[in-house]
Amino acid sequence: MSCCLKAAFSVSGFNETIIKNRPIGYLGVSPSIVTLQFAHSKSRKFMGKPLEFSDQKIGSNWNAKAPRYTPVNAQASICISKALRWWEKTLKPNMIEIHSAQELVDNLLNAGDRLVIIDFYSPGCGGCKALHPKICQLAESNPDAIILKVNYEELRTMCHSLHIHVLPFFRFYRGAEGRLCSFSCTNATIKKFKDALAKYGTERCSLGPTKGLEESELLALASSGQISRKLQPNFTEEDNKKEKEGLALNEVKLSNAYGKEETKMGSKEGNTVLMA
């Protein structure tokens, strides 16, 4: 191997530090035996200092070895978690997502004397999304209350049977008293919710079995096949007859209703109005 002589250089095995070219000669390095030669030079000085050369071999049997690299085993862990949707965030233990009409009825009946609040919402409702964090805070500060969350898009048929026409919408229930109040509110009118919570949130004992939904609502749900009235307490043969009659009538109504355009959403004062 040959290289031009530089203004400054160092030889260590096969590593050379080269800075300036000198046209006065060349440096020869043998791979197995290192020999310094200076040829075709008119001067024996380098950067003002005398250079001494001899034909003596400087060292012998140098072996060039590739640098050693320590293998590193690296493992990358990739965790992919499903992002929570806004209605799934900051939920409290006393907030329950409802997935069927039967589940709604059962939760109301099993609540005993505890205050139950049904929160009707839709993923596409801006007012519902804005109000959600405050409802979660109120749920946390009132752990004895139960909040049942109903997704309108998932349970549209049930919401139609319960006559839900605006979102967000709330219903309050307790024990044998059944429904206490119902209203729609937004961030701007959250006082409605707080006032109802203060009025009906105090502990009380009611006489008689838990009522839950109204009879007409239960009949509507049973008529459309969403629940079985036979599983409900105090179910009589008269109720069974009404259920069969209502089922035939509702089949006609539902077929006409779903023959129309899909339900649209409009906005009015922060609420989402459901328009057929």
Side-chain angles (χ1 to χ4, degrees), residues 180-240:
L180 302 171
C181 65
S182 58
F183 56 86
S184 178
C185 74
T186 62
N187 263 334
T189 57
I190 188 64
K191 190 176 182 300
K192 286 184 186 179
F193 190 96
K194 293 179 179 179
D195 290 345
L197 197 56
K199 182 178 180 180
Y200 302 111
T202 55
E203 293 185 8
R204 66 186 75 177
C205 293
S206 56
L207 301 176
T210 304
K211 186 176 180 181
L213 296 177
E214 300 291 337
E215 284 295 320
S216 59
E217 295 173 333
L218 290 172
L219 181 60
L221 293 173
S223 299
S224 58
Q226 298 177 71
I227 64 170
S228 175
R229 284 298 311 277
K230 293 180 181 180
L231 300 177
Q232 306 304 315
N234 303 322
F235 182 80
T236 64
E237 286 300 323
E238 184 66 22
D239 294 327
N240 189 29

Side-chain angles (χ1 to χ4, degrees), residues 57-215:
K57 295 177 181 179
I58 307 174
S60 62
N61 197 25
W62 283 15
N63 294 323
K65 295 182 179 180
R68 293 183 180 180
Y69 297 97
T70 303
V72 177
N73 295 326
Q75 294 181 350
S77 297
I78 302 176
C79 296
I80 302 176
S81 59
K82 182 182 176 181
L84 292 176
R85 296 166 291 190
W86 68 259
W87 60 93
E88 298 171 334
K89 295 179 180 178
T90 64
L91 292 179
K92 305 307 173 185
N94 56 334
M95 301 179 75
I96 302 172
E97 189 74 28
I98 298 299
H99 300 288
S100 68
Q102 190 65 58
E103 191 176 344
L104 175 66
V105 172
D106 292 343
N107 273 277
L108 284 169
L109 294 178
N110 295 332
D113 288 329
R114 295 179 66 181
L115 177 65
V116 180
I117 304 168
I118 305 179
D119 175 8
F120 296 91
Y121 72 93
S122 171
C125 170
C128 304
K129 182 178 180 180
L131 192 60
H132 177 72
K134 290 188 178 180
I135 298 300
C136 292
Q137 291 175 3
L138 291 170
E140 185 176 23
S141 59
N142 294 271
D144 291 333
I146 301 173
I147 298 181
L148 306 179
K149 295 185 66 62
V150 175
N151 186 335
Y152 177 86
E153 298 302 329
E154 182 181 339
L155 299 171
R156 182 173 300 192
T157 303
M158 184 189 78
C159 291
H160 285 172
S161 300
L162 299 180
H163 307 290
I164 304 302
H165 303 297
V166 62
L167 298 174
F169 196 80
F170 301 93
R171 283 185 175 183
F172 284 59
Y173 293 82
R174 184 189 282 277
E177 299 177 68
R179 190 199 305 182
L180 302 171
C181 65
S182 58
F183 56 86
S184 178
C185 74
T186 62
N187 263 334
T189 57
I190 188 64
K191 190 176 182 300
K192 286 184 186 179
F193 190 96
K194 293 179 179 179
D195 290 345
L197 197 56
K199 182 178 180 180
Y200 302 111
T202 55
E203 293 185 8
R204 66 186 75 177
C205 293
S206 56
L207 301 176
T210 304
K211 186 176 180 181
L213 296 177
E214 300 291 337
E215 284 295 320

